[in-house]
Amino acid sequence: MVKVYTSTYAYDHAFPLVSLAYFLRYPNPYSTHVQSTDVISRQFDPQTRQLTTTRLHLKRSKLPSAVLRLIPRSLLGATAAGDSQSYILETSVVDVNAGWMKTESRNLEWTGVLSVVERQDYYRQGELRPASPASSTSFAQTSSDLLPSALLQGKTDVVASVTLRSPFGENVKKRRAAAAAAKAAGDQTESEPK
Amino acid sequence: MSASLAPECNEIKERYDNCFLKWYTEKFLRGTATTDECAPLFQEYRKCLGVALKERGLDITIEEARGDNKENDDQHMRRS
């Protein structure tokens, strides 16, 4: 079973800033469940000038009590309070000259039950416009120390998608399809003239 | 900067992260980067992290996940 959700929106911030914010998004006060972030690999290609990064995040999550009742806590590594932790593998490619960044995050464990793949594609918007006062958030202000103002102008388009895939559902579907095919074959032989 | 999953790697990670942030904002984003100047620091950090990943059995899990990605990518390419 595969389910895909897609959405598009635009950030009122320039592409360089958005790509920087992506790498710096943890830790932040709204994501205290993210315990650690490590860089597994990072390659800069001098020819294409693309930067490819693989990171590993460790996230703590509260499990729904229904799930806790179904699966023993010892198996999940969960505490008595129902806290569990999971590893997320994130890959990203940034092409600063072409003005895009493609990111993908997936769960590392329990992929046999449910695999969740989150993708975000960021694109620099065609026309540059002067930085508006609306974009003067605290992060933009901090970043003006880091980046020249020319790099802080413009907007960034984002295409985000979440793909949910469960082999459980797939097996059920396969069995149903096989049963339907067998039934169809049976019907056919019956309806054939003798 | 975010912490490492292995506390013993935090110090070297911070040094690498600071180096990367400087390189990313001062060279990469301005389109003037020619090499990854933080590669030596990354090697040091990666060495520390490698031990921690192995201890937790994560090195194999990550390799497998990245292998799966390749297969998925191949499938994706074929379809389009």
Side-chain angles (χ1 to χ4, degrees):
Chain A
M1 188 183 70
V2 182
K3 232 171 168 26
V4 187
Y5 300 92
T6 312
S7 61
T8 54
Y9 46 94
Y11 282 137
D12 277 332
H13 294 291
F15 173 74
L17 193 58
V18 171
S19 84
L20 176 64
Y22 183 83
F23 285 127
L24 294 178
R25 71 191 193 282
Y26 302 129
N28 75 70
Y30 302 102
S31 306
T32 48
H33 64 292
V34 179
Q35 297 184 306
S36 71
T37 296
D38 279 286
V39 185
I40 300 297
S41 73
R42 183 164 265 150
Q43 279 120 28
F44 172 68
D45 187 330
Q47 249 79 56
T48 61
R49 290 194 178 174
Q50 288 180 0
L51 183 72
T52 308
T53 306
T54 307
R55 298 198 297 181
L56 183 72
H57 304 287
L58 180 58
K59 300 190 179 185
R60 200 183 61 234
S61 53
K62 266 259 196 277
L63 287 162
S65 56
V67 174
L68 275 175
R69 246 178 274 135
L70 283 171
I71 309 167
R73 263 168 213 172
S74 57
L75 239 169
L76 291 168
T79 64
D83 272 356
S84 176
Q85 52 181 34
S86 46
Y87 288 102
I88 312 291
L89 196 67
E90 169 210 288
T91 40
S92 61
V93 185
V94 195
D95 190 320
V96 77
N97 297 309
W100 56 256
M101 176 178 201
K102 292 178 184 202
T103 69
E104 187 191 280
S105 298
R106 55 176 65 229
N107 58 321
L108 269 188
E109 301 132 312
W110 298 97
T111 46
V113 181
L114 181 68
S115 121
V116 182
V117 182
E118 243 183 73
R119 291 192 182 91
Q120 279 111 24
D121 293 351
Y122 302 88
Y123 300 96
R124 181 172 61 206
Q125 265 190 15
E127 91 268 32
L128 290 178
R129 46 168 212 136
S132 65
S135 66
S136 62
T137 59
S138 59
F139 184 72
Q141 265 161 10
T142 321
S143 58
S144 64
D145 302 335
L146 296 167
L147 292 166
S149 59
L151 288 185
L152 295 172
Q153 292 173 9
K155 280 186 167 196
T156 307
D157 289 320
V158 189
V159 182
S161 79
V162 180
T163 307
L164 303 168
R165 186 172 183 274
S166 175
F168 272 13
E170 256 161 47
N171 289 340
V172 171
K173 217 163 128 187
K174 261 183 221 157
R175 270 202 298 275
R176 260 192 217 145
K183 195 174 175 285
D187 288 349
Q188 215 175 4
T189 37
E190 267 167 38
S191 61
E192 264 171 26
K194 295 195 173 142
Chain B
M1 292 287 169
S2 43
S4 169
L5 69 95
E8 67 270 23
C9 304
N10 269 339
E11 200 206 335
I12 177 66
K13 180 182 190 289
E14 200 182 326
R15 276 167 61 207
Y16 168 68
D17 277 346
N18 285 334
C19 176
F20 173 76
L21 183 65
K22 197 167 159 25
W23 175 79
Y24 195 72
T25 50
E26 290 180 9
K27 303 270 174 77
F28 182 82
L29 286 180
R30 297 172 200 215
T32 57
T34 47
T35 54
D36 180 1
E37 290 161 17
C38 305
L41 271 178
F42 181 72
Q43 287 311 315
E44 236 182 287
Y45 158 53
R46 193 61 184 81
K47 213 168 120 189
C48 180
L49 184 67
V51 177
L53 291 179
K54 218 175 190 145
E55 274 171 9
R56 291 161 176 79
L58 280 167
D59 49 341
I60 296 159
T61 315
I62 291 167
E63 271 321 301
E64 279 175 3
R66 295 176 90 180
D68 282 353
N69 281 5
K70 271 183 211 116
E71 263 169 48
N72 289 346
D73 287 349
D74 289 346
Q75 270 180 6
H76 212 67
M77 301 293 247
R78 260 206 303 278
R79 236 183 283 138
S80 55

